């Protein structure tokens, strides 16, 4: 008969109270919003470029949205830019991951080659005499030649001792050279008069000639031994006799005469006049306008 009777017949008491509470909450919310819109600072606010709008629930015009829309557009643009940068960065990260994996694989393949290179480079530096492990800075070829030089020095010492009346002998020296020089092929002379060992550079002109001649003869002896006893029957000596005094020259010629007694031919190239008197067989070079000529000359005997 009445709306209340119809409601009671349609809804139970608990359900009706729940719906009533929702209606009350809705009304309270609408009242709060209406109070906010009725605030003095919002009353009558409308941007100049805003479109006319319908009146709000509080009876005032709504706030303009142009500034908010511009801010939204700017934020969207920034978001799009950031999204694009993020996508590009992610692509680059994937590429870097692939490159890192490839570099790691290449490094693992190169590791044995690197070890082999280090071993070969260390050996090369050692043989070249540039390694810190090579205390004497001696090249490999110098090391091999040093063994031969010891033999040559030993053979030459016998000759030099005879030429110098027992005063000098030669010894090989592998002392480290000063500065950036290489070592291993040094020669020192032992002076029996003083008992000191010194560099061959300290010898006088005549003594240096002695040492050079002794080394040449010693080298010939070593070569003969290495060649299985093959003889070197001819030996030529070029100049150097002009620096010798008469006594020294006699001693040198005695050594050369001893070689001739062993069926060796010794040729001397020199301008020393005294040698012309002492050497019987001579080949003399005669200069002329039409050119030089060689003639065989035998000194006259008394």
């Amino acid at each position: 008969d009445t709306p209340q009777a119809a409601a009671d017949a349609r809804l139970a008491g608990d359900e009706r109270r729940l719906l009533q509470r929702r209606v009350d909450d809705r009304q309270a919310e609408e009242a709060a919003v209406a109070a906010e819109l009725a605030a003095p600072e919002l009353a009558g606010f409308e941007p100049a470029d805003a479109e006319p709008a319908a009146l709000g629930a509080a009876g005032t015009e709504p706030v303009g949205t142009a500034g908010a829309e511009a801010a939204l557009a700017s934020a969207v643009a920034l978001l799009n830019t950031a999204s694009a940068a993020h996508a590009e960065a992610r692509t680059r990260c994937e590429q870097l991951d692939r490159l890192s994996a490839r570099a790691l694989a290449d490094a693992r393949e190169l590791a044995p080659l690197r070890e082999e290179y280090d071993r070969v480079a260390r050996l090369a530096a050692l043989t070249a005499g540039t390694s810190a492990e090579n205390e004497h800075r001696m090249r490999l070829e110098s090391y091999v030649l040093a063994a031969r030089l010891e033999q040559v020095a030993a053979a030459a010492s016998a000759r030099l001792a005879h030429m110098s009346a027992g005063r000098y002998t030669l010894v090989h020296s592998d002392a480290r050279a000063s500065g950036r020089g290489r070592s291993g092929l040094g020669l020192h002379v032992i002076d029996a008069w003083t008992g000191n060992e010194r560099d061959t550079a300290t010898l006088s002109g005549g003594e240096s000639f002695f040492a050079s001649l002794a080394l040449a003869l010693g080298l010939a002896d070593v070569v003969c031994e290495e060649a299985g006893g093959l003889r070197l029957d001819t030996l030529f000596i070029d100049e150097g006799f002009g620096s010798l005094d008469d006594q020294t020259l006699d001693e040198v010629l005695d050594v050369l005469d001893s070689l001739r007694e062993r069926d060796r031919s010794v040729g001397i190239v020199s301008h020393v006049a005294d040698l012309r008197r002492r050497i019987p067989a001579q080949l003399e070079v005669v200069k002329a306008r039409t050119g030089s000529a060689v003639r065989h000359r035998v000194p006259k005997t008394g």
Side-chain angles (χ1 to χ4, degrees), residues 1-276:
D1 295 335
T2 62
Q4 184 63 39
D8 293 339
R10 181 67 181 86
L11 298 174
D14 293 339
E15 187 174 358
R16 187 172 60 254
R17 283 190 296 273
L18 176 62
L19 291 176
Q20 184 63 45
R21 189 181 303 113
R22 292 177 61 186
V23 171
D24 294 341
D25 292 341
R26 178 66 177 177
Q27 290 175 350
E29 183 178 356
E30 288 178 354
V33 171
E36 290 290 336
L37 293 175
E41 60 269 17
L42 296 180
F45 175 78
E46 181 179 1
D49 57 348
E51 295 293 335
L55 293 177
T60 60
E61 296 183 357
V63 178
T65 60
E69 291 176 352
L72 175 62
S74 177
V76 171
L78 292 175
L79 176 61
N80 293 336
T81 302
S83 298
H86 176 265
E88 183 180 0
R90 182 170 56 188
T91 301
R92 291 188 178 183
C93 287
E94 293 174 354
Q95 294 175 348
L96 288 175
D97 289 339
R98 291 193 295 270
L99 291 175
S100 298
R102 185 185 306 172
L104 181 59
D106 292 342
R108 289 174 178 173
E109 292 180 1
L110 289 176
L113 299 178
R114 179 67 183 181
E115 293 178 359
E116 180 68 13
Y117 167 79
D118 291 340
R119 186 181 67 83
V120 173
R122 177 173 171 268
L123 183 60
L126 188 63
T127 57
T130 58
S131 171
E133 299 179 75
N134 192 328
E135 297 180 358
H136 295 286
R137 292 202 301 267
M138 188 185 299
R139 293 189 178 95
L140 178 61
E141 57 267 26
S142 299
Y143 178 78
V144 175
L145 291 174
R148 286 286 182 265
L149 185 57
E150 289 181 355
Q151 298 176 341
V152 172
S157 290
R159 309 281 189 181
L160 183 59
H162 178 71
M163 295 180 192
S164 60
R167 180 177 179 180
Y168 295 121
T169 54
L170 290 171
V171 292
H172 166 254
S173 172
D174 58 0
R176 182 170 178 173
S178 60
R180 299 177 61 87
R182 295 290 186 263
S183 57
L185 297 178
L187 278 176
H188 286 178
V189 61
I190 297 178
D191 190 344
W193 290 7
T194 62
N196 294 329
E197 179 179 329
R198 52 194 172 98
D199 195 285
T200 54
T202 61
L203 295 174
S204 65
E207 293 169 343
S208 298
F209 178 79
F210 276 166
S212 299
L213 179 58
L215 285 172
L217 298 176
L219 178 61
D221 293 339
V222 172
V223 171
C224 290
E225 293 178 2
E226 293 293 331
L230 180 65
R231 289 177 54 84
L232 297 179
D233 294 327
T234 304
L235 175 67
F236 285 93
I237 303 174
D238 187 7
E239 290 298 343
F241 294 92
S243 61
L244 304 180
D245 54 35
D246 293 339
Q247 180 181 355
T248 304
L249 184 59
D250 289 337
E251 294 172 351
V252 171
L253 291 178
D254 289 342
V255 174
L256 298 180
D257 286 338
S258 67
L259 295 177
R260 291 194 300 111
E261 293 173 358
R262 300 178 185 178
D263 297 329
R264 281 187 175 179
S265 298
V266 180
I268 297 176
V269 182
S270 178
H271 295 87
V272 179
D274 194 32
L275 290 176
R276 299 177 184 176

